[in-house]
Amino acid sequence: MSFLFGGGRPQLSSAEKIAAAETEVEMISDMFNRLSQSCTKKCIPPEYREPDLNKGESVCLDRCVSKFFEVNLKVSEKMQGEAAQRGGAGGGMSGFGM
Amino acid sequence: MDGLNASEQREFQGRMEKKQMKEFMTMYSNLVQRCFDDCVNDFTTKSLHAKEEGCVMKCVDKYLKGSERLGQRFQEQNAAMMQSGQLPGR
């Protein structure tokens, strides 16, 4: 989470540091769980003809992960762009804390 | 994780272990639900018949292999993303 509190780096208490580290792991594991759910749903049809991933399913999963990250990035870029615009135009509200 | 001293590190590890345990249980119950939903639709008998059982076994196998593959790809992408300094892994 250091990108949120990057600036002055105030002295954090132990509890705060642990919580920050925990939040970081939390974010990543949450993202993985979402990706897992979406990609499994999209790539593995509910007919289980064989116990292994077949070629199509494997390739689909690989591409799905890649695209998920790409979408993640696009959304974050767009939101940052909009936040910057808003900040540049009117000042005041610093919408999205990134 | 950076910037934690030894005792903080220990506390953090402990929490991560708890979290892992919880995630495992969640994964397990999701798997049961998924394979049940996809494989078992006939309630004219009381126990699973051979076809349903086969389906469940294949479902579990496939799901686990799928998760493993997703995990590998995720690691790779996440590492690449962190290196280039973009969100979300910092």
Side-chain angles (χ1 to χ4, degrees):
Chain A
M1 290 298 275
S2 34
F3 67 89
L4 282 181
F5 317 114
R9 251 186 218 279
Q11 286 298 315
L12 294 175
S13 72
S14 273
E16 283 169 332
K17 276 199 274 182
I18 295 171
E22 213 173 2
T23 309
E24 197 169 322
V25 173
E26 201 79 50
M27 267 171 63
I28 295 177
S29 96
D30 178 63
M31 182 176 164
F32 178 70
N33 289 336
R34 286 169 198 278
L35 170 148
S36 244
Q37 234 181 345
S38 299
C39 293
T40 309
K41 199 159 112 203
K42 286 174 194 283
C43 292
I44 303 186
E47 297 102 36
Y48 302 100
R49 298 210 174 81
E50 68 282 303
D52 295 303
L53 293 171
N54 62 41
K55 192 90 188 161
E57 290 164 345
S58 307
V59 172
C60 178
L61 286 176
D62 292 355
R63 292 178 180 160
C64 181
V65 174
S66 186
K67 285 204 168 176
F68 191 94
F69 270 82
E70 223 179 299
V71 170
N72 198 58
L73 190 63
K74 292 281 172 242
V75 171
S76 119
E77 277 170 8
K78 192 158 170 54
M79 291 192 81
Q80 277 182 47
E82 261 154 43
Q85 236 175 25
R86 229 177 312 136
M93 296 280 282
S94 56
F96 211 57
M98 294 193 182
Chain B
M1 296 283 114
D2 30 66
L4 298 183
N5 65 34
S7 77
E8 288 164 357
Q9 196 79 253
R10 233 174 298 122
E11 167 72 19
F12 180 67
Q13 287 302 338
R15 292 199 199 180
M16 287 304 106
E17 273 158 38
K18 265 188 224 144
K19 183 178 159 53
Q20 258 171 12
M21 191 62 204
K22 224 170 101 187
E23 296 247 323
F24 178 78
M25 299 310 282
T26 310
M27 188 276 273
Y28 173 75
S29 54
N30 281 338
L31 182 54
V32 171
Q33 188 173 17
R34 187 186 163 87
C35 295
F36 176 80
D37 286 347
D38 289 346
C39 292
V40 184
N41 287 306
D42 167 47
F43 299 98
T44 54
T45 55
K46 193 174 166 205
S47 50
L48 294 174
H49 43 247
K51 208 172 142 216
E52 287 169 339
E53 193 174 330
C55 177
V56 169
M57 291 299 118
K58 282 182 268 188
C59 171
V60 172
D61 264 328
K62 203 175 259 238
Y63 181 95
L64 291 178
K65 282 171 189 158
S67 303
E68 199 190 327
R69 195 177 183 103
L70 283 171
Q72 288 165 354
R73 294 293 97 79
F74 183 84
Q75 290 272 323
E76 293 164 9
Q77 294 276 342
N78 196 42
M81 204 177 206
M82 270 171 151
Q83 229 164 30
S84 62
Q86 292 150 336
L87 286 172
R90 279 176 314 152

mmCIF file of all heavy atoms in Angstrom, chain B residues 26-61:
data_model
loop_
_atom_site.group_PDB
_atom_site.id
_atom_site.type_symbol
_atom_site.label_atom_id
_atom_site.label_comp_id
_atom_site.label_asym_id
_atom_site.label_seq_id
_atom_site.Cartn_x
_atom_site.Cartn_y
_atom_site.Cartn_z
ATOM 1 N N THR B 26 -12.720 -22.076 2.003
ATOM 2 C CA THR B 26 -13.604 -21.453 1.017
ATOM 3 C C THR B 26 -13.476 -22.148 -0.330
ATOM 4 O O THR B 26 -14.474 -22.439 -0.993
ATOM 5 C CB THR B 26 -13.237 -19.968 0.834
ATOM 6 O OG1 THR B 26 -13.147 -19.368 2.110
ATOM 7 C CG2 THR B 26 -14.262 -19.242 0.003
ATOM 8 N N MET B 27 -12.220 -22.423 -0.709
ATOM 9 C CA MET B 27 -11.970 -23.088 -1.976
ATOM 10 C C MET B 27 -12.654 -24.453 -1.988
ATOM 11 O O MET B 27 -13.310 -24.827 -2.947
ATOM 12 C CB MET B 27 -10.451 -23.221 -2.160
ATOM 13 C CG MET B 27 -9.996 -23.714 -3.494
ATOM 14 S SD MET B 27 -10.024 -25.493 -3.611
ATOM 15 C CE MET B 27 -8.438 -25.904 -2.973
ATOM 16 N N TYR B 28 -12.518 -25.146 -0.863
ATOM 17 C CA TYR B 28 -13.118 -26.468 -0.750
ATOM 18 C C TYR B 28 -14.628 -26.414 -0.916
ATOM 19 O O TYR B 28 -15.212 -27.166 -1.698
ATOM 20 C CB TYR B 28 -12.743 -27.080 0.611
ATOM 21 C CG TYR B 28 -13.434 -28.373 0.901
ATOM 22 C CD1 TYR B 28 -13.053 -29.550 0.268
ATOM 23 C CD2 TYR B 28 -14.489 -28.419 1.811
ATOM 24 C CE1 TYR B 28 -13.707 -30.728 0.525
ATOM 25 C CE2 TYR B 28 -15.153 -29.602 2.078
ATOM 26 C CZ TYR B 28 -14.757 -30.751 1.432
ATOM 27 O OH TYR B 28 -15.415 -31.922 1.680
ATOM 28 N N SER B 29 -15.259 -25.482 -0.224
ATOM 29 C CA SER B 29 -16.721 -25.461 -0.325
ATOM 30 C C SER B 29 -17.194 -24.980 -1.694
ATOM 31 O O SER B 29 -18.219 -25.433 -2.197
ATOM 32 C CB SER B 29 -17.358 -24.666 0.813
ATOM 33 O OG SER B 29 -16.807 -23.400 0.877
ATOM 34 N N ASN B 30 -16.408 -24.094 -2.311
ATOM 35 C CA ASN B 30 -16.746 -23.703 -3.680
ATOM 36 C C ASN B 30 -16.660 -24.880 -4.640
ATOM 37 O O ASN B 30 -17.485 -25.020 -5.540
ATOM 38 C CB ASN B 30 -15.791 -22.615 -4.181
ATOM 39 C CG ASN B 30 -16.168 -21.259 -3.645
ATOM 40 O OD1 ASN B 30 -17.309 -21.033 -3.256
ATOM 41 N ND2 ASN B 30 -15.209 -20.354 -3.612
ATOM 42 N N LEU B 31 -15.644 -25.671 -4.424
ATOM 43 C CA LEU B 31 -15.423 -26.829 -5.287
ATOM 44 C C LEU B 31 -16.569 -27.819 -5.140
ATOM 45 O O LEU B 31 -17.100 -28.338 -6.134
ATOM 46 C CB LEU B 31 -14.088 -27.476 -4.905
ATOM 47 C CG LEU B 31 -13.622 -28.687 -5.695
ATOM 48 C CD1 LEU B 31 -13.592 -28.384 -7.171
ATOM 49 C CD2 LEU B 31 -12.240 -29.106 -5.224
ATOM 50 N N VAL B 32 -16.961 -28.067 -3.910
ATOM 51 C CA VAL B 32 -18.094 -28.975 -3.678
ATOM 52 C C VAL B 32 -19.336 -28.442 -4.379
ATOM 53 O O VAL B 32 -20.020 -29.168 -5.105
ATOM 54 C CB VAL B 32 -18.377 -29.139 -2.170
ATOM 55 C CG1 VAL B 32 -19.677 -29.901 -1.948
ATOM 56 C CG2 VAL B 32 -17.227 -29.857 -1.486
ATOM 57 N N GLN B 33 -19.569 -27.156 -4.209
ATOM 58 C CA GLN B 33 -20.771 -26.588 -4.805
ATOM 59 C C GLN B 33 -20.737 -26.654 -6.326
ATOM 60 O O GLN B 33 -21.706 -27.051 -6.971
ATOM 61 C CB GLN B 33 -20.946 -25.136 -4.356
ATOM 62 C CG GLN B 33 -22.286 -24.592 -4.812
ATOM 63 C CD GLN B 33 -22.576 -23.222 -4.263
ATOM 64 O OE1 GLN B 33 -21.675 -22.523 -3.794
ATOM 65 N NE2 GLN B 33 -23.825 -22.833 -4.312
ATOM 66 N N ARG B 34 -19.578 -26.289 -6.879
ATOM 67 C CA ARG B 34 -19.455 -26.285 -8.327
ATOM 68 C C ARG B 34 -19.690 -27.669 -8.913
ATOM 69 O O ARG B 34 -20.465 -27.842 -9.846
ATOM 70 C CB ARG B 34 -18.066 -25.770 -8.705
ATOM 71 C CG ARG B 34 -17.901 -25.581 -10.181
ATOM 72 C CD ARG B 34 -16.475 -25.205 -10.543
ATOM 73 N NE ARG B 34 -16.283 -25.420 -11.964
ATOM 74 C CZ ARG B 34 -16.569 -24.504 -12.873
ATOM 75 N NH1 ARG B 34 -17.042 -23.338 -12.525
ATOM 76 N NH2 ARG B 34 -16.385 -24.766 -14.157
ATOM 77 N N CYS B 35 -18.993 -28.662 -8.359
ATOM 78 C CA CYS B 35 -19.102 -30.000 -8.922
ATOM 79 C C CYS B 35 -20.477 -30.602 -8.664
ATOM 80 O O CYS B 35 -21.007 -31.339 -9.490
ATOM 81 C CB CYS B 35 -17.980 -30.891 -8.384
ATOM 82 S SG CYS B 35 -16.349 -30.320 -8.919
ATOM 83 N N PHE B 36 -21.057 -30.271 -7.535
ATOM 84 C CA PHE B 36 -22.409 -30.734 -7.268
ATOM 85 C C PHE B 36 -23.372 -30.137 -8.284
ATOM 86 O O PHE B 36 -24.165 -30.842 -8.915
ATOM 87 C CB PHE B 36 -22.837 -30.352 -5.848
ATOM 88 C CG PHE B 36 -24.247 -30.720 -5.527
ATOM 89 C CD1 PHE B 36 -24.575 -32.023 -5.179
ATOM 90 C CD2 PHE B 36 -25.253 -29.766 -5.580
ATOM 91 C CE1 PHE B 36 -25.882 -32.374 -4.898
ATOM 92 C CE2 PHE B 36 -26.565 -30.103 -5.310
ATOM 93 C CZ PHE B 36 -26.881 -31.410 -4.963
ATOM 94 N N ASP B 37 -23.290 -28.839 -8.487
ATOM 95 C CA ASP B 37 -24.194 -28.172 -9.421
ATOM 96 C C ASP B 37 -24.042 -28.701 -10.842
ATOM 97 O O ASP B 37 -25.026 -28.886 -11.548
ATOM 98 C CB ASP B 37 -23.930 -26.656 -9.427
ATOM 99 C CG ASP B 37 -24.464 -25.989 -8.179
ATOM 100 O OD1 ASP B 37 -25.242 -26.636 -7.445
ATOM 101 O OD2 ASP B 37 -24.106 -24.828 -7.924
ATOM 102 N N ASP B 38 -22.789 -28.918 -11.257
ATOM 103 C CA ASP B 38 -22.548 -29.323 -12.635
ATOM 104 C C ASP B 38 -22.808 -30.806 -12.881
ATOM 105 O O ASP B 38 -23.088 -31.209 -14.000
ATOM 106 C CB ASP B 38 -21.103 -29.000 -13.047
ATOM 107 C CG ASP B 38 -20.886 -27.494 -13.194
ATOM 108 O OD1 ASP B 38 -21.891 -26.753 -13.232
ATOM 109 O OD2 ASP B 38 -19.721 -27.068 -13.259
ATOM 110 N N CYS B 39 -22.684 -31.624 -11.852
ATOM 111 C CA CYS B 39 -22.734 -33.070 -12.084
ATOM 112 C C CYS B 39 -24.001 -33.748 -11.582
ATOM 113 O O CYS B 39 -24.370 -34.813 -12.073
ATOM 114 C CB CYS B 39 -21.546 -33.762 -11.425
ATOM 115 S SG CYS B 39 -19.967 -33.377 -12.189
ATOM 116 N N VAL B 40 -24.626 -33.188 -10.587
ATOM 117 C CA VAL B 40 -25.728 -33.905 -9.966
ATOM 118 C C VAL B 40 -27.046 -33.173 -10.199
ATOM 119 O O VAL B 40 -27.286 -32.114 -9.629
ATOM 120 C CB VAL B 40 -25.480 -34.061 -8.453
ATOM 121 C CG1 VAL B 40 -26.573 -34.887 -7.811
ATOM 122 C CG2 VAL B 40 -24.120 -34.706 -8.207
ATOM 123 N N ASN B 41 -27.866 -33.762 -11.072
ATOM 124 C CA ASN B 41 -29.130 -33.112 -11.381
ATOM 125 C C ASN B 41 -30.309 -34.073 -11.322
ATOM 126 O O ASN B 41 -31.424 -33.713 -11.656
ATOM 127 C CB ASN B 41 -29.071 -32.487 -12.773
ATOM 128 C CG ASN B 41 -28.203 -31.247 -12.776
ATOM 129 O OD1 ASN B 41 -28.411 -30.330 -11.989
ATOM 130 N ND2 ASN B 41 -27.177 -31.236 -13.623
ATOM 131 N N ASP B 42 -30.025 -35.290 -10.942
ATOM 132 C CA ASP B 42 -31.065 -36.310 -10.970
ATOM 133 C C ASP B 42 -31.316 -36.819 -9.567
ATOM 134 O O ASP B 42 -30.397 -37.288 -8.898
ATOM 135 C CB ASP B 42 -30.601 -37.455 -11.886
ATOM 136 C CG ASP B 42 -31.458 -38.683 -11.723
ATOM 137 O OD1 ASP B 42 -32.681 -38.539 -11.731
ATOM 138 O OD2 ASP B 42 -30.882 -39.790 -11.573
ATOM 139 N N PHE B 43 -32.545 -36.678 -9.105
ATOM 140 C CA PHE B 43 -32.826 -37.102 -7.734
ATOM 141 C C PHE B 43 -33.845 -38.235 -7.679
ATOM 142 O O PHE B 43 -34.721 -38.270 -6.820
ATOM 143 C CB PHE B 43 -33.247 -35.896 -6.900
ATOM 144 C CG PHE B 43 -32.160 -34.867 -6.850
ATOM 145 C CD1 PHE B 43 -32.182 -33.770 -7.701
ATOM 146 C CD2 PHE B 43 -31.072 -35.041 -6.004
ATOM 147 C CE1 PHE B 43 -31.143 -32.855 -7.688
ATOM 148 C CE2 PHE B 43 -30.033 -34.124 -5.987
ATOM 149 C CZ PHE B 43 -30.070 -33.031 -6.833
ATOM 150 N N THR B 44 -33.690 -39.176 -8.623
ATOM 151 C CA THR B 44 -34.527 -40.371 -8.578
ATOM 152 C C THR B 44 -33.866 -41.460 -7.752
ATOM 153 O O THR B 44 -34.469 -42.487 -7.495
ATOM 154 C CB THR B 44 -34.795 -40.905 -10.002
ATOM 155 O OG1 THR B 44 -33.539 -41.091 -10.650
ATOM 156 C CG2 THR B 44 -35.633 -39.929 -10.799
ATOM 157 N N THR B 45 -32.613 -41.261 -7.386
ATOM 158 C CA THR B 45 -31.940 -42.220 -6.504
ATOM 159 C C THR B 45 -31.377 -41.465 -5.303
ATOM 160 O O THR B 45 -31.224 -40.249 -5.345
ATOM 161 C CB THR B 45 -30.767 -42.934 -7.216
ATOM 162 O OG1 THR B 45 -29.882 -41.930 -7.738
ATOM 163 C CG2 THR B 45 -31.247 -43.808 -8.338
ATOM 164 N N LYS B 46 -31.040 -42.250 -4.290
ATOM 165 C CA LYS B 46 -30.605 -41.627 -3.048
ATOM 166 C C LYS B 46 -29.100 -41.348 -3.043
ATOM 167 O O LYS B 46 -28.641 -40.381 -2.448
ATOM 168 C CB LYS B 46 -30.953 -42.572 -1.886
ATOM 169 C CG LYS B 46 -30.844 -41.907 -0.521
ATOM 170 C CD LYS B 46 -31.338 -42.862 0.545
ATOM 171 C CE LYS B 46 -30.921 -42.384 1.920
ATOM 172 N NZ LYS B 46 -30.844 -43.508 2.861
ATOM 173 N N SER B 47 -28.343 -42.245 -3.673
ATOM 174 C CA SER B 47 -26.906 -41.992 -3.714
ATOM 175 C C SER B 47 -26.443 -41.763 -5.150
ATOM 176 O O SER B 47 -27.161 -42.029 -6.108
ATOM 177 C CB SER B 47 -26.142 -43.150 -3.070
ATOM 178 O OG SER B 47 -26.572 -44.369 -3.593
ATOM 179 N N LEU B 48 -25.222 -41.262 -5.256
ATOM 180 C CA LEU B 48 -24.672 -40.949 -6.569
ATOM 181 C C LEU B 48 -24.600 -42.195 -7.431
ATOM 182 O O LEU B 48 -24.157 -43.237 -6.967
ATOM 183 C CB LEU B 48 -23.250 -40.392 -6.410
ATOM 184 C CG LEU B 48 -23.075 -39.058 -5.710
ATOM 185 C CD1 LEU B 48 -21.595 -38.757 -5.533
ATOM 186 C CD2 LEU B 48 -23.765 -37.943 -6.470
ATOM 187 N N HIS B 49 -25.009 -42.106 -8.674
ATOM 188 C CA HIS B 49 -24.738 -43.243 -9.539
ATOM 189 C C HIS B 49 -23.395 -43.051 -10.239
ATOM 190 O O HIS B 49 -22.805 -41.975 -10.177
ATOM 191 C CB HIS B 49 -25.887 -43.555 -10.504
ATOM 192 C CG HIS B 49 -26.505 -42.389 -11.150
ATOM 193 N ND1 HIS B 49 -27.798 -41.996 -10.886
ATOM 194 C CD2 HIS B 49 -26.023 -41.506 -12.057
ATOM 195 C CE1 HIS B 49 -28.066 -40.936 -11.602
ATOM 196 N NE2 HIS B 49 -27.017 -40.612 -12.317
ATOM 197 N N ALA B 50 -22.954 -44.149 -10.888
ATOM 198 C CA ALA B 50 -21.584 -44.175 -11.413
ATOM 199 C C ALA B 50 -21.255 -42.961 -12.275
ATOM 200 O O ALA B 50 -20.178 -42.383 -12.163
ATOM 201 C CB ALA B 50 -21.358 -45.455 -12.201
ATOM 202 N N LYS B 51 -22.194 -42.588 -13.103
ATOM 203 C CA LYS B 51 -21.930 -41.482 -14.015
ATOM 204 C C LYS B 51 -21.702 -40.167 -13.247
ATOM 205 O O LYS B 51 -20.798 -39.390 -13.560
ATOM 206 C CB LYS B 51 -23.108 -41.333 -14.975
ATOM 207 C CG LYS B 51 -22.718 -40.748 -16.312
ATOM 208 C CD LYS B 51 -23.892 -40.798 -17.287
ATOM 209 C CE LYS B 51 -23.883 -39.527 -18.130
ATOM 210 N NZ LYS B 51 -25.230 -39.038 -18.428
ATOM 211 N N GLU B 52 -22.534 -39.962 -12.251
ATOM 212 C CA GLU B 52 -22.378 -38.748 -11.449
ATOM 213 C C GLU B 52 -21.045 -38.750 -10.707
ATOM 214 O O GLU B 52 -20.345 -37.736 -10.636
ATOM 215 C CB GLU B 52 -23.526 -38.629 -10.438
ATOM 216 C CG GLU B 52 -24.847 -38.242 -11.069
ATOM 217 C CD GLU B 52 -26.023 -38.376 -10.108
ATOM 218 O OE1 GLU B 52 -25.917 -39.117 -9.102
ATOM 219 O OE2 GLU B 52 -27.054 -37.752 -10.380
ATOM 220 N N GLU B 53 -20.734 -39.903 -10.166
ATOM 221 C CA GLU B 53 -19.476 -39.990 -9.419
ATOM 222 C C GLU B 53 -18.284 -39.714 -10.328
ATOM 223 O O GLU B 53 -17.368 -38.968 -9.966
ATOM 224 C CB GLU B 53 -19.345 -41.363 -8.755
ATOM 225 C CG GLU B 53 -18.233 -41.366 -7.723
ATOM 226 C CD GLU B 53 -18.167 -42.658 -6.936
ATOM 227 O OE1 GLU B 53 -19.235 -43.297 -6.758
ATOM 228 O OE2 GLU B 53 -17.055 -43.025 -6.522
ATOM 229 N N GLY B 54 -18.307 -40.330 -11.509
ATOM 230 C CA GLY B 54 -17.240 -40.086 -12.480
ATOM 231 C C GLY B 54 -17.128 -38.607 -12.805
ATOM 232 O O GLY B 54 -16.036 -38.044 -12.848
ATOM 233 N N CYS B 55 -18.275 -38.005 -13.013
ATOM 234 C CA CYS B 55 -18.293 -36.573 -13.326
ATOM 235 C C CYS B 55 -17.665 -35.764 -12.196
ATOM 236 O O CYS B 55 -16.838 -34.876 -12.436
ATOM 237 C CB CYS B 55 -19.730 -36.143 -13.573
ATOM 238 S SG CYS B 55 -19.935 -34.386 -13.890
ATOM 239 N N VAL B 56 -18.038 -36.083 -10.969
ATOM 240 C CA VAL B 56 -17.503 -35.349 -9.818
ATOM 241 C C VAL B 56 -15.981 -35.490 -9.752
ATOM 242 O O VAL B 56 -15.261 -34.507 -9.549
ATOM 243 C CB VAL B 56 -18.146 -35.831 -8.495
ATOM 244 C CG1 VAL B 56 -17.410 -35.260 -7.291
ATOM 245 C CG2 VAL B 56 -19.611 -35.435 -8.435
ATOM 246 N N MET B 57 -15.496 -36.718 -9.941
ATOM 247 C CA MET B 57 -14.044 -36.943 -9.892
ATOM 248 C C MET B 57 -13.323 -36.125 -10.956
ATOM 249 O O MET B 57 -12.306 -35.474 -10.685
ATOM 250 C CB MET B 57 -13.723 -38.439 -10.115
ATOM 251 C CG MET B 57 -14.155 -39.348 -8.982
ATOM 252 S SD MET B 57 -13.342 -38.913 -7.440
ATOM 253 C CE MET B 57 -14.722 -38.485 -6.422
ATOM 254 N N LYS B 58 -13.873 -36.149 -12.156
ATOM 255 C CA LYS B 58 -13.238 -35.402 -13.238
ATOM 256 C C LYS B 58 -13.327 -33.899 -12.982
ATOM 257 O O LYS B 58 -12.391 -33.139 -13.263
ATOM 258 C CB LYS B 58 -13.877 -35.760 -14.582
ATOM 259 C CG LYS B 58 -13.383 -37.102 -15.097
ATOM 260 C CD LYS B 58 -13.966 -37.435 -16.449
ATOM 261 C CE LYS B 58 -15.240 -38.231 -16.267
ATOM 262 N NZ LYS B 58 -15.792 -38.760 -17.518
ATOM 263 N N CYS B 59 -14.462 -33.507 -12.441
ATOM 264 C CA CYS B 59 -14.661 -32.083 -12.121
ATOM 265 C C CYS B 59 -13.602 -31.595 -11.139
ATOM 266 O O CYS B 59 -12.982 -30.555 -11.336
ATOM 267 C CB CYS B 59 -16.065 -31.886 -11.557
ATOM 268 S SG CYS B 59 -16.377 -30.259 -10.878
ATOM 269 N N VAL B 60 -13.379 -32.373 -10.084
ATOM 270 C CA VAL B 60 -12.393 -31.986 -9.070
ATOM 271 C C VAL B 60 -10.999 -31.915 -9.687
ATOM 272 O O VAL B 60 -10.267 -30.929 -9.506
ATOM 273 C CB VAL B 60 -12.387 -32.977 -7.887
ATOM 274 C CG1 VAL B 60 -11.234 -32.672 -6.931
ATOM 275 C CG2 VAL B 60 -13.707 -32.919 -7.136
ATOM 276 N N ASP B 61 -10.651 -32.951 -10.436
ATOM 277 C CA ASP B 61 -9.339 -32.979 -11.088
ATOM 278 C C ASP B 61 -9.123 -31.751 -11.962
ATOM 279 O O ASP B 61 -8.109 -31.070 -11.883
ATOM 280 C CB ASP B 61 -9.233 -34.225 -11.983
ATOM 281 C CG ASP B 61 -8.526 -35.352 -11.254
ATOM 282 O OD1 ASP B 61 -7.657 -35.045 -10.424
ATOM 283 O OD2 ASP B 61 -8.852 -36.526 -11.505
#
